[in-house]
Amino acid sequence: MHMIEAIVKPSSIDGIKSKLAQVGVLGMTALECKGFGKQKGHTERYRGGRMDVGFVPKVTLKVAVKSEDLDKALEAVTSAARTGNVGDGKLFVYELSKVVRIRTGEADNDAL
């Protein structure tokens, strides 16, 4: 089992959700966040003046997948989030040692 953590633009959430559903991955958690990378924030105008804003609005998506579904899920997220512009986001993948569904007590792949 693996956890995919994707930091993406807020506008790409619906597309990612649809693509994941198409490959059979139905659950994810979304957290609003702010950050910056190569784009180093952005500039906004306020009352005629320019202000450098150090952080850009992003969304962190967390998706737990079975190991056999990992490549399909990564391709789904990547294809839905990619615009080709700076700031499309990043994916982080790490292994999960244990997953438990609290309601039923199911564990590992059965809990996903």
Side-chain angles (χ1 to χ4, degrees), residues 30-100:
L31 305 160
E32 291 182 14
C33 59
K34 294 180 183 181
F36 70 92
K38 288 185 178 182
Q39 80 271 22
K40 299 182 178 105
H42 63 282
T43 303
E44 291 183 355
R45 289 206 172 273
Y46 179 71
R47 294 188 177 190
R50 293 182 60 181
M51 293 177 44
D52 285 330
V53 179
F55 292 97
V56 177
K58 298 286 184 177
V59 174
T60 299
L61 301 175
K62 293 188 173 215
V63 184
V65 297
K66 298 175 184 175
S67 295
E68 58 266 20
D69 294 336
L70 179 61
D71 290 333
K72 291 187 295 188
L74 287 173
E75 176 58 31
V77 173
T78 303
S79 65
R82 181 181 291 134
T83 65
N85 298 321
V86 173
D88 279 348
K90 291 248 186 335
L91 293 176
F92 303 96
V93 179
Y94 44 95
E95 289 188 33
L96 295 175
S97 60
K98 189 77 171 166
V99 176
V100 176

